[in-house]
Amino acid sequence: MAKVKVENLTKKYGSLIAVNNVSFSCKDGEFFSILGPSGAGKTTTLELIAGIKKPDSGDIYIGSSLVNDLSPQARDVAMAFEKYSLYPHFSVYENIAFPLRAPTRKEKLSPKEERKRVEEMANLLGIGELLDRRPQHLSGGQRQRVSLARAMIRRPQVYLLDEPIAHLDAKLKVSARTTLKRLSDKLGITIIYVTHDYKEALALSDRILILREGIIEQVGTPEEVYLYPSSDFVGRLIGDPPINLIDGEVIKKDGKSFFKVEEDFSIQIDQALVSSTEKAAWEEDGRRRIRIGIRPIYVKVSKEKLSDNSFQLPVYAVEHKTDSSIVGFELKDTFLIARTEERVNWRMSEKVWIDFEQKHLHFFKKTVDVSKK
Ligand code: ADP
Ligand code: MG
């Protein structure tokens, strides 16, 4: 059964279409993320589900009910926002307990039951020791966890979380991520989680919906969206360093197919991939244009020539990681990035051999700009 289902949801602000005919369904107990850059329509989508905003068209179901005409309170959802605001004069305990005391609540808890519920949630989030403190005596990370605890203290049908850990520093983020994962597994709750951070989405989600300018680009498991990005946009959004996108054309010669970047630079395409290139390629000025994608870990670089398909480029820049190097090359009007398996100590302008691992090639239409500018 779908716990949350939206059908053909559209929301306009004047002439801007913030959410454009979006349909998806999120299963009972699923951790479902909405991933996209700033302005993609993520927050608006959540606000429509929560009932804070009205759609121009489309239907929203929670459980098996159509909730279009229900107030936010009647929808039985809990929402946590990026910008948390705690009540400064309340203790952490009172902040977390607040939603349980709302006069509109049907379920009234005894003080003992309430304390048990608050302590359980606080312990899950690692703030059990802080219940008597005031918010001003907490660190930013602790405050964000209190705000999350407050959002999750009720047992609504669905949690809507809008970048709830965006403001934590990198280390705290990792621990908050682990906590969220634990919470969702333990409580078996349905979560729609908005983020612009692909690492969060990959780490937490059962499935990810990728939004771009109000339109769905892809919905899939973390593996699916990483391994089989449906577009150059999705490829580019997920992964660091980002996937390389190289524009060229498909050429046929002596029954073989080649990907040609420029006059003296073309590589033969494995027979097994030819039909995929045919599908992606388009006609332009009498040529078969195509964009290929390859992740930096599959761009093999070495001092020796590894195959007939190897090509040589001068090193543009090298950046070192703890156990690998990121090597950049100039390729036409873009950069080609390789991630090595070990650190390399190559100099600038030194020529090295490059190979693409063909089974990791992607073929795309051109929808994002990747020029160096
Ligand atoms: P995201 O959360 O993915 O960053 P939003 O849903 O906040 O995106 O916004 C989507 C688009 O709608 C953006 O272009 C944003 O500027 C616009 N927008 C959001 N809220 C309003 C509003 N109240 N009035 C006008 N435009 C808005
Ligand atoms: Mg937002």
Side-chain angles (χ1 to χ4, degrees):
M1 189 188 81
K3 198 70 180 193
V4 177
K5 186 165 82 173
V6 311
E7 280 181 339
N8 308 111
L9 206 57
T10 294
K11 174 71 182 172
K12 298 178 191 161
Y13 298 113
S15 60
L16 178 96
I17 309 177
V19 175
N20 194 344
N21 199 29
V22 161
S23 302
F24 64 86
S25 68
C26 158
K27 299 182 200 114
D28 199 1
E30 191 169 29
F31 198 117
F32 188 88
S33 291
I34 301 179
L35 172 68
S38 174
K42 306 183 295 297
T43 296
T44 305
T45 303
L46 276 200
E47 289 170 334
L48 293 170
I49 296 170
I52 300 167
K53 283 185 181 155
K54 287 258 165 249
D56 290 285
S57 57
D59 290 327
I60 301 161
Y61 297 85
I62 296 177
S64 48
S65 324
L66 182 67
V67 299
N68 289 22
D69 298 324
L70 295 187
S71 69
Q73 291 74 25
R75 291 188 186 197
D76 197 21
V77 299
M79 200 158 168
F81 290 99
E82 179 178 357
K83 290 176 198 71
Y84 48 85
S85 50
L86 300 175
Y87 303 107
H89 304 299
F90 285 0
S91 68
V92 167
Y93 180 93
E94 288 163 327
N95 266 284
I96 298 175
F98 191 79
L100 297 175
R101 300 173 178 175
T104 52
R105 259 183 85 77
K106 287 182 228 113
E107 176 201 17
K108 293 280 178 233
L109 297 179
S110 71
K112 210 173 140 193
E113 288 168 327
E114 180 193 273
R115 177 152 287 273
K116 184 162 173 276
R117 181 85 76 89
V118 170
E119 282 176 353
E120 205 176 80
M121 179 59 69
N123 289 336
L124 260 175
L125 284 162
I127 47 174
E129 310 294 301
L130 308 174
L131 291 173
D132 296 328
R133 291 210 203 158
R134 291 281 167 90
Q136 65 266 34
H137 301 303
L138 302 177
S139 71
Q142 290 168 336
R143 276 182 220 172
Q144 197 141 33
R145 278 182 276 172
V146 175
S147 139
L148 202 55
R150 187 178 58 186
M152 303 189 83
I153 191 71
R154 291 194 299 119
R155 299 285 155 77
Q157 296 205 62
V158 182
Y159 292 88
L160 305 172
L161 307 179
D162 191 359
E163 316 229 12
I165 60 173
H167 293 301
L168 300 187
D169 69 33
K171 270 204 194 107
L172 275 174
K173 233 181 208 170
V174 174
S175 77
R177 235 155 59 188
T178 313
T179 309
L180 261 173
K181 186 75 192 157
R182 194 177 146 80
L183 218 54
S184 92
D185 289 349
K186 190 167 154 73
L187 304 178
I189 48 186
T190 307
I191 298 181
I192 302 184
Y193 186 87
V194 157
T195 180
H196 67 273
D197 180 341
Y198 82 88
K199 287 186 185 152
E200 273 178 26
L202 289 186
L204 293 168
S205 315
D206 295 313
R207 285 187 305 148
I208 303 172
L209 179 153
I210 291 155
L211 210 53
R212 175 192 194 183
E213 293 175 8
I215 294 172
I216 296 179
E217 286 264 328
Q218 189 169 2
V219 183
T221 63
E223 292 77 9
E224 283 164 354
V225 297
Y226 179 76
L227 293 175
Y228 311 107
S230 63
S231 64
D232 54 356
F233 176 84
V234 174
R236 202 74 176 170
L237 193 66
I238 296 174
D240 182 34
I243 194 168
N244 293 292
L245 297 173
I246 308 160
D247 295 323
E249 52 184 305
V250 186
I251 308 268
K252 301 265 185 210
K253 219 162 111 188
D254 308 329
K256 294 171 185 156
S257 285
F258 294 85
F259 172 66
K260 177 176 158 191
V261 182
E262 41 195 13
E263 223 31 72
D264 53 355
F265 175 12
S266 60
I267 52 180
Q268 192 186 332
I269 299 168
D270 283 355
Q271 201 53 40
L273 300 176
V274 169
S275 68
S276 313
T277 65
E278 293 302 329
K279 253 184 251 156
W282 68 94
E283 204 77 30
E284 201 180 303
D285 310 327
R287 295 166 185 222
R288 296 289 291 160
R289 304 277 176 178
I290 197 163
R291 163 168 277 186
I292 66 162
I294 185 154
R295 298 205 180 271
I297 44 169
Y298 302 123
V299 177
K300 296 292 163 199
V301 283
S302 69
K303 291 302 283 179
E304 288 89 48
K305 188 172 178 181
L306 296 173
S307 78
D308 290 343
N309 255 341
S310 299
F311 56 94
Q312 248 188 330
L313 285 175
V315 171
Y316 181 80
V318 182
E319 181 192 313
H320 297 296
K321 303 277 174 196
T322 48
D323 55 359
S324 66
S325 299
I326 308 295
V327 189
F329 305 91
E330 277 185 297
L331 185 60
K332 268 175 64 178
D333 53 359
T334 185
F335 288 113
L336 175 69
I337 307 292
R339 178 165 194 155
T340 61
E341 276 161 20
E342 292 168 358
R343 287 176 67 126
V344 295
N345 49 7
W346 297 330
R347 285 167 288 109
M348 220 162 68
S349 304
E350 185 170 347
K351 279 201 160 182
V352 298
W353 289 98
I354 301 171
D355 256 282
F356 292 159
E357 270 191 49
Q358 295 238 348
K359 65 171 188 284
H360 295 291
L361 282 179
H362 301 272
F363 304 102
F364 297 124
K365 306 267 184 236
K366 192 163 152 181
T367 79
V368 297
D369 180 17
V370 290
S371 61
K372 290 189 282 198
K373 298 194 185 96

